[in-house]
């Protein structure tokens, strides 16, 4: 294969990566994400005035803005960015456009950990470790157990992907699928044995919902996602070369096994951090990278950051729809239900388009 042909294939065809194009796209998507945040904090079951919220600290608008709308919108943006960037990375890494952030078993591990905590009635970390004081004691026990469960799943999948580099993607994929099936069976058993009131909590968590997290939790989550997405972005050029195949990538100087391991670790950590705070929110990591790949090509150097910004906007608007649905249903549906209702039909439409056109991405 000639060098120009190799470069074109690895970098996503004729669109390619140009600094001016990248800056323009990043700027446009950043404006889009900020605009979605502004709309999400402005509207809801009760509309508020942003001017009053920012200039009159004691007004009702300010209370709603600072204590409810802004933390929830920021949480949606942080989680949406992590899920979508992880989806783009895993689809490129596993060379499977149907891969989503939950394919590696992270969702199964997280769900199993949170389900166990909810089933035995643990509310805060202080109930698990009575000697612990301060902010740590007030942390959510289901979130902690969810993160620990996701971490265990990550270690399990990473250990299974060791060995031959050529077998690693498939080993990781199959291990994740098997782990999710095992976790699903364990969760079903726990739900069967749980009291009705706790069963409701478990089902609500599994459906995926945005809560009202404290500033410290949001800051910690933002740092985790920034670090994980940063690793995925830094390694995105190598990920382009991995699409050529392991032998071709190695011949071009890519440390295949180390690159794959770092990308798996970053994507899994990002998903674990998201699931621990919100439960299982599907389709964000599947739909957003798909749409952006169709629009701008498969170059991961563009796809990873654009997916992060697009995922943030998508989840923030989905949560706004969930809040606007309150008067209609008399209750607020979990945002995971909204993303499924939006993402399912959209994904089927994209799948039909791919089959009709016979495209490879």
């Amino acid at each position: 294969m000639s060098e120009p042909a190799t470069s074109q294939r690895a970098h996503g065809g004729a669109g390619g990566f140009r600094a001016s194009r990248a800056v323009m796209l990043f700027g446009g998507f950043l404006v889009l994400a900020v605009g979605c945040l502004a709309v999400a904090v402005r509207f809801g079951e009760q509309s508020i005035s942003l001017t009053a919220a920012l200039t009159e600290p004691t007004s009702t608008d300010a209370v709603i803005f600072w204590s409810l709308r802004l933390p929830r919108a920021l949480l949606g943006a942080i989680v949406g960015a992590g899920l979508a960037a992880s989806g783009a990375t895993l689809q490129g890494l596993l060379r499977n456009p149907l891969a989503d952030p939950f394919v590696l078993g992270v969702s199964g591990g997280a769900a199993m950990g949170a389900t166990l905590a909810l089933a035995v009635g643990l509310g805060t970390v202080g109930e698990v470790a009575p000697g612990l004081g301060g902010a740590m004691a007030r942390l959510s026990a289901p979130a902690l157990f969810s993160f620990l469960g996701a971490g265990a799943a990550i270690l399990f999948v990473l250990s299974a992907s060791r060995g031959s580099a050529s077998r690693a993607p498939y080993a990781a994929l199959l291990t994740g699928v098997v782990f999710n099936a095992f976790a699903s069976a364990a969760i079903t058993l726990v739900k069967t044995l749980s009291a009705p009131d706790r069963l409701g909590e478990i089902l609500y968590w599994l459906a995926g919902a945005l809560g009202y997290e404290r500033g410290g939790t949001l800051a910690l989550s933002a740092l985790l996602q920034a670090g994980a997405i940063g690793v995925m972005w830094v390694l995105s050029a190598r990920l382009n070369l991995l699409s050529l195949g392991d032998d071709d990538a190695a011949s071009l100087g890519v440390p295949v096994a180390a690159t794959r391991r770092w990308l798996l670790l970053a994507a899994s950590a990002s998903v674990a951090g998201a699931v621990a705070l919100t439960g299982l929110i599907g389709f964000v990591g599947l739909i957003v990278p798909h749409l952006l790949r169709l629009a701008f090509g498969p170059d991961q150097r563009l796809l990873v950051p654009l997916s992060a910004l697009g995922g943030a906007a998508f989840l923030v608007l989905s949560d706004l729809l969930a809040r606007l649905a309150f008067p209609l249903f008399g209750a607020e549906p979990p945002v995971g239900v909204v993303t499924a209702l939006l993402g399912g039909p959209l994904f089927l439409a994209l799948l039909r388009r791919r089959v009709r056109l016979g495209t490879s991405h």
Side-chain angles (χ1 to χ4, degrees):
M1 184 181 295
S2 65
E3 185 173 341
T6 301
S7 176
Q8 184 177 4
R9 182 179 163 193
H11 294 163
F17 183 92
R18 298 189 306 275
S20 58
R21 181 172 182 248
V23 170
M24 183 182 68
L25 288 174
F26 295 161
F29 272 73
L30 184 60
V31 170
L32 172 68
V34 173
C36 290
L37 272 173
V39 171
V41 297
R42 169 74 173 78
F43 298 101
E45 185 184 355
Q46 175 184 339
S47 298
I48 63 171
S49 165
L50 290 181
T51 303
L54 297 174
T55 58
E56 302 172 18
T58 59
S59 66
T60 302
D61 288 353
V63 173
I64 294 174
F65 175 81
W66 290 109
S67 62
L68 299 177
R69 296 273 175 84
L70 185 60
R72 182 161 169 165
L74 288 175
L75 178 62
I78 292 167
V79 170
L83 291 177
S86 300
T89 297
L90 291 173
Q91 288 159 19
L93 190 62
L94 301 175
R95 300 169 200 159
N96 185 341
L98 299 181
D100 77 354
F102 298 147
V103 75
L104 291 178
V106 179
S107 61
M112 193 162 59
T115 299
L116 286 173
L118 291 169
V120 298
L122 293 178
T124 63
V125 173
E127 297 175 28
V128 184
L132 205 61
M136 284 294 294
R138 295 193 296 272
L139 286 177
S140 163
L144 175 65
F145 275 66
S146 170
F147 193 83
L148 293 176
I154 293 168
L155 293 177
F156 186 66
V157 172
L158 286 178
S159 64
S161 65
R162 286 182 177 177
S164 170
S166 62
R167 293 198 304 270
Y170 311 105
L173 185 63
L174 291 174
T175 305
V177 170
V178 171
F179 190 89
N180 271 333
F182 168 78
S184 177
I187 291 168
T188 300
L189 176 62
V190 173
K191 285 193 295 186
T192 304
L193 300 175
S194 297
D197 56 333
R198 290 177 181 171
L199 180 60
E201 290 182 58
I202 293 172
L203 293 177
Y204 190 79
W205 189 92
L206 292 175
L210 296 179
Y212 301 97
E213 300 293 344
R214 299 171 185 273
T217 304
L218 288 176
L220 192 62
S221 179
L223 282 175
L224 171 66
Q225 296 299 343
I229 294 171
V231 171
M232 291 184 257
W233 194 5
V234 166
L235 296 177
S236 58
R238 293 184 183 179
L239 185 54
N240 280 337
L241 296 176
L242 283 177
S243 68
L244 301 172
D246 290 348
D247 292 338
D248 286 340
S251 69
L252 292 171
V254 176
V256 174
T259 300
R260 180 169 289 121
R261 192 167 296 118
W262 274 108
L263 286 171
L264 278 175
L265 189 60
S268 300
S270 173
V271 176
V275 173
L277 294 178
T278 63
L280 306 181
I281 298 178
F283 284 99
V284 179
L286 194 60
I287 291 298
V288 174
H290 259 78
L291 288 173
L292 295 176
R293 192 178 293 109
L294 285 172
F296 305 112
D299 191 330
Q300 294 287 342
R301 293 173 297 178
L302 286 175
L303 200 55
V304 170
L306 294 187
S307 292
L309 293 171
F314 179 76
L315 191 55
V316 167
L317 289 183
S318 296
D319 184 56
L320 175 60
L321 286 178
R323 285 187 280 118
L324 291 175
F326 185 90
L328 185 62
F329 298 107
E332 186 180 299
V335 69
V337 174
V338 176
T339 59
L341 290 175
L342 293 174
L346 185 56
F347 180 72
L348 288 177
L350 292 174
L351 197 60
R352 285 174 61 87
R353 181 179 184 277
R354 286 190 58 206
V355 171
R356 189 173 66 250
L357 298 178
T359 53
S360 59
H361 58 265

